[in-house]
Amino acid sequence: MRRSILDKNDRLAERNRGFFRARGLLVLNVLSSPGSGKTTLLRETIRRLGSRLKTGVIVGDLATDNDARRLGEAGATAVQITTGTVCHLEAEMVARALKQLDLTGVGLLVIENVGNLVCPASYDLGEDLRVVLLSVTEGEDKPLKYPPIFQSAGVAVVTKMDLAQACDYDRDTAIANLRRVAANAPVFEISAKTGQGMDAWCDFLVRQHQALKTRDPLGL
Amino acid sequence: MRRSILDKNDRLAERNRGFFRARGLLVLNVLSSPGSGKTTLLRETIRRLGSRLKTGVIVGDLATDNDARRLGEAGATAVQITTGTVCHLEAEMVARALKQLDLTGVGLLVIENVGNLVCPASYDLGEDLRVVLLSVTEGEDKPLKYPPIFQSAGVAVVTKMDLAQACDYDRDTAIANLRRVAANAPVFEISAKTGQGMDAWCDFLVRQHQALKTRDPLGL
């Protein structure tokens, strides 16, 4: 049964992908533990990108619409998915949420997944890029302890760099562990609070969006 | 299929429970996000309990035996379960791990679950008490965003209190949110690093263990 759920999800994810490409959207699937700073990073990203790259957001949580409200206040068009007891987003949930999202002028669509370092790894949503966050407060060994999700990362973002000293963050070990599991993913080290690393991150997203125009939209 | 997996798990969990009670073990199922400080809390708990209450540990992770090694070094008998891609521990995994654990003299058995605030909520392991951790770095709204696991908590532990100031932790909001979801669970506020709250926590465990002697072992 799990096999057929995943097969169905993979088909619907490809349909989403075709839709996203036809609309010229750069789509991120943002994954991390609960409380790694996904929403704070996105809020600051939306604020800084401003009119350079208009952002739409789909946010998944078991309960509450706190995150969609926070991101809406930052200037994004935002839709909340509440999953109840489901531990991950699926392609079909994203497709349904898209119906509620005004995509006029939107170039970047960010899907903030349920906070979970395990299950969302198995569910393609049709995204261009998986962004996996690791907060400095979580410990340097997380890439080794949750390998599937870090292996699937297109980009890794180390968050809460402002807390690095207070929690004795060992940068060399963390980066080495990321490299072992996600060898080819670019790594950004960011504090959304102080702004450290935010310019490089936003420039990266703008470049990725521009690069879409030079790609065959159906990726063939 | 999911229904029958849960039914089977519930039966095996009751078998575990009978076994634990016959052996006079106090059994904790420790649940949190990845990186909330489960292992650090347990290491300090084991060290402080010392011979007052001998501790055995079963640790679950997708990969690595880092945690079992760390807890073994602190003086516990420790067995690592590596789940591969499975996002939670099940009663049968615990039963298998028990075969490898020397329970001689052990009064407290701690099961450190896979770091995940969603899926482990559905799987009874036969424990006496679910201990759900919330780190001050994760944000005060986590009990509202992950209600099933916090609703199932027998005890809530706020960890990393030493970082409270650095991350602008709002104590009143966090405690109010815990109270809304886990109204009857005692709350401990702890820093395993500075020792804050560790005495009260260890005394609580010793009292819970002593109380087992006055209970009917099969809970009737």
Side-chain angles (χ1 to χ4, degrees):
Chain A
M1 193 177 90
R2 189 175 140 79
R3 189 65 255 153
S4 84
I5 290 173
L6 287 174
D7 286 348
K8 182 186 169 205
N9 185 74
D10 284 348
R11 289 196 305 277
L12 293 178
E14 290 301 344
R15 189 188 297 175
N16 286 352
R17 187 167 281 115
F19 179 89
F20 297 148
R21 292 205 172 151
R23 296 291 300 243
L25 290 167
L26 175 69
V27 181
L28 310 183
N29 182 0
V30 182
L31 301 160
S32 81
S33 302
S36 295
K38 289 184 291 302
T39 311
T40 306
L41 172 65
L42 294 182
R43 194 177 51 182
E44 193 58 19
T45 302
I46 291 160
R47 202 183 66 75
R48 285 173 182 250
L49 286 174
S51 58
R52 265 209 297 172
L53 184 57
K54 192 177 161 192
T55 307
V57 185
I58 295 171
V59 196
D61 273 302
L62 303 197
T64 85
D65 64 350
N66 293 359
D67 288 355
R69 274 193 294 106
R70 284 171 68 193
L71 295 169
E73 285 161 15
T77 325
V79 172
Q80 179 84 45
I81 300 173
T82 51
T83 64
T85 58
V86 178
C87 53
H88 59 271
L89 291 182
E90 296 180 10
E92 187 174 354
M93 300 176 192
V94 170
R96 286 184 198 284
L98 278 170
K99 289 202 283 190
Q100 302 170 55
L101 202 64
D102 178 7
L103 290 172
T104 315
V106 170
L108 173 66
L109 176 65
V110 181
I111 305 168
E112 183 185 329
N113 219 308
V114 176
N116 183 333
L117 270 188
V118 190
C119 316
S122 308
Y123 293 85
D124 183 11
L125 304 178
E127 70 271 12
D128 294 291
L129 213 50
R130 288 196 175 186
V131 181
V132 181
L133 272 57
L134 170 68
S135 129
V136 298
T137 62
E138 288 168 30
E140 300 79 6
D141 61 351
K142 290 299 161 293
L144 306 183
K145 289 168 86 173
Y146 300 85
I149 211 156
F150 283 96
Q151 280 158 358
S152 79
V155 181
V157 180
V158 181
T159 59
K160 306 193 189 182
M161 286 297 291
D162 55 290
L163 294 174
Q165 205 171 358
C167 59
D168 302 322
Y169 171 66
D170 178 344
R171 179 179 187 272
D172 291 347
T173 303
I175 300 292
N177 288 343
L178 276 171
R179 283 277 153 266
R180 276 172 66 182
V181 181
N184 299 315
V187 177
F188 292 88
E189 296 172 282
I190 287 180
S191 165
K193 195 169 170 183
T194 66
Q196 175 186 343
M198 285 300 303
D199 285 342
W201 165 243
C202 290
D203 291 346
F204 169 79
L205 293 176
V206 170
R207 282 198 311 276
Q208 292 287 313
H209 179 251
Q210 284 165 346
L212 289 179
K213 294 176 188 136
T214 64
R215 281 204 332 223
D216 180 279
L218 289 174
L220 301 176
Chain B
M1 196 178 91
R2 190 176 140 80
R3 190 65 255 153
S4 83
I5 290 173
L6 287 174
D7 285 349
K8 182 186 170 203
N9 185 74
D10 283 349
R11 289 196 305 277
L12 293 178
E14 291 301 343
R15 190 189 296 175
N16 287 352
R17 187 168 280 116
F19 178 90
F20 297 148
R21 293 205 171 152
R23 297 291 299 245
L25 290 166
L26 175 69
V27 182
L28 311 183
N29 181 1
V30 181
L31 301 160
S32 82
S33 302
S36 295
K38 289 184 292 301
T39 311
T40 305
L41 172 65
L42 294 182
R43 193 176 52 182
E44 193 58 20
T45 303
I46 290 160
R47 202 183 65 75
R48 285 173 182 250
L49 286 173
S51 58
R52 265 210 297 172
L53 184 57
K54 193 177 161 192
T55 306
V57 186
I58 294 172
V59 197
D61 273 302
L62 303 198
T64 85
D65 64 349
N66 293 358
D67 289 354
R69 275 192 294 106
R70 283 170 68 193
L71 295 169
E73 285 162 16
T77 326
V79 172
Q80 179 83 46
I81 300 173
T82 51
T83 64
T85 57
V86 178
C87 52
H88 59 270
L89 291 182
E90 297 180 10
E92 186 174 355
M93 299 176 192
V94 170
R96 287 183 197 284
L98 279 170
K99 290 201 285 190
Q100 302 170 53
L101 203 64
D102 178 6
L103 290 172
T104 315
V106 169
L108 173 66
L109 176 64
V110 181
I111 305 168
E112 182 185 328
N113 219 309
V114 176
N116 183 334
L117 270 188
V118 190
C119 317
S122 307
Y123 293 85
D124 183 11
L125 304 178
E127 69 271 11
D128 294 291
L129 213 52
R130 286 197 176 186
V131 181
V132 181
L133 272 57
L134 169 68
S135 130
V136 299
T137 62
E138 287 167 32
E140 299 79 5
D141 61 351
K142 290 300 160 294
L144 306 183
K145 289 169 85 173
Y146 300 85
I149 211 156
F150 283 95
Q151 280 158 358
S152 79
V155 182
V157 180
V158 181
T159 59
K160 307 193 189 183
M161 286 297 291
D162 55 290
L163 294 173
Q165 205 171 356
C167 60
D168 302 322
Y169 171 67
D170 178 345
R171 179 179 186 272
D172 291 348
T173 302
I175 301 292
N177 288 342
L178 276 171
R179 283 277 153 267
R180 277 173 65 182
V181 181
N184 299 314
V187 177
F188 292 87
E189 297 173 281
I190 287 179
S191 164
K193 195 168 170 184
T194 66
Q196 175 187 344
M198 285 300 303
D199 284 343
W201 166 242
C202 290
D203 291 347
F204 169 80
L205 293 176
V206 170
R207 281 198 313 277
Q208 292 287 314
H209 180 250
Q210 284 165 347
L212 289 180
K213 294 177 186 131
T214 64
R215 282 205 329 225
D216 180 278
L218 289 174
L220 300 175

